[in-house]
Amino acid sequence: EIVLMQSPGTLSLSPGERATLSCRASQTVTDNYLAWYQQKAGQAPRLLIYGASIRATGIADRFSGSGSGTDFTLTITRLEPEDFAVYYCQHYVTSPWTFGQGARVEIK
Amino acid sequence: EGQLVESGGGLVQSGGSLRLSCVTSGFTFSRHDLHWVRQAPGKGLEFVAAISGNGARTDYGSSVKGRCTVSRDNSKNIVYLQVDRLRSEDTAVYYCASGGYGAPANWGQGTLVSVSS
């Protein structure tokens, strides 16, 4: 089973700043089968990125994904007020697919 | 994009079974892979099960494998999740989601399952 570790656990930033979230896998994530989700309190998750770097439909271009192998990054170039949320990475290489433990982006 | 509405949650006794349903609309059901993902109170996301559009492929999370069956009825646009031998750690909000196999883009609002000991 591939274990995903996200860092940092919490990121305290101000609107307009850049957020960089890391996701490290215990094994190679082949074919870049890595996704990122955003979840706000009381809401369902929202798919942001799949294939490590492909934005899902309707996702703003301030969100970008990068990386390969075992190291992946989600970058939010300029934080908007609605971006303060919890972010999860998830692989879908082979079952069981697993999620990282989540990373909170909070207002400083 | 469509809509997904989960039902069947509630209070269930430990050791019992439940069947969740997810009714969908607004998209060509048989062309979409369906997923179940759960979230225990105050915790992160956990993959539970997935089924391909034609039902030929299924996958399960490690904590439910052997206790769980995902199925779909393409004539009714419904996907089901049967969970047996329920444990307290199965208490969670269960989300139904559709989209690319492994990375679903369209999610329901979830149904809460509480397992009492």
Side-chain angles (χ1 to χ4, degrees):
Chain A
E1 178 173 312
I2 297 176
V3 177
L4 300 177
M5 290 297 299
Q6 293 185 238
S7 61
T10 302
L11 201 52
S12 299
L13 295 168
S14 300
E17 291 193 293
R18 180 187 189 94
T20 302
L21 304 177
S22 174
C23 177
R24 177 161 290 179
S26 60
Q27 304 170 38
T28 297
V29 177
T30 53
D31 297 316
N32 282 348
Y33 282 171
L34 192 287
W36 290 93
Y37 300 83
Q38 176 195 67
Q39 188 179 33
K40 299 178 183 178
Q43 296 186 17
R46 179 171 72 141
L47 177 68
L48 300 175
I49 301 285
Y50 63 96
S53 62
I54 304 169
R55 269 189 301 275
T57 302
I59 301 303
D61 59 8
R62 64 181 181 274
F63 292 93
S64 65
S66 62
S68 63
T70 60
D71 290 296
F72 297 87
T73 300
L74 175 70
T75 302
I76 311 170
T77 50
R78 287 178 54 87
L79 282 164
E80 297 286 342
E82 62 267 27
D83 298 337
F84 292 91
V86 179
Y87 293 83
Y88 295 91
C89 59
Q90 176 232 332
H91 85 83
Y92 48 106
V93 178
T94 54
S95 184
W97 306 325
T98 55
F99 290 86
Q101 80 277 21
R104 181 179 302 277
V105 178
E106 64 176 25
I107 299 176
K108 187 174 181 180
Chain B
E1 188 173 88
Q3 188 176 15
L4 302 98
V5 179
E6 303 91 339
S7 63
L11 184 61
V12 188
Q13 278 207 324
S14 179
S17 299
L18 64 78
R19 188 174 83 157
L20 303 179
S21 301
C22 174
V23 177
T24 74
S25 60
F27 59 90
T28 306
F29 184 76
S30 60
R31 293 184 185 175
H32 282 71
D33 305 320
L34 277 298
H35 308 73
W36 289 95
V37 174
R38 70 185 183 184
Q39 187 168 36
K43 303 295 185 183
L45 301 172
E46 181 185 13
F47 164 66
V48 177
I51 184 166
S52 61
N54 62 7
R57 176 179 175 179
T58 57
D59 286 283
Y60 296 94
S62 53
S63 61
V64 297
K65 198 167 188 177
R67 300 189 294 125
C68 187
T69 304
V70 60
S71 60
R72 62 191 296 157
D73 186 335
N74 284 359
S75 68
K76 296 181 179 178
N77 294 357
I78 301 177
V79 60
Y80 302 98
L81 181 72
Q82 173 89 19
V83 187
D84 301 318
R85 303 189 299 281
L86 284 159
R87 310 164 179 165
S88 57
E89 53 264 39
D90 294 319
T91 294
V93 173
Y94 285 71
Y95 294 103
C96 171
S98 70
Y101 203 73
N106 193 19
W107 293 62
Q109 284 307 300
T111 185
L112 176 62
V113 173
S114 298
V115 181
S116 67
S117 51

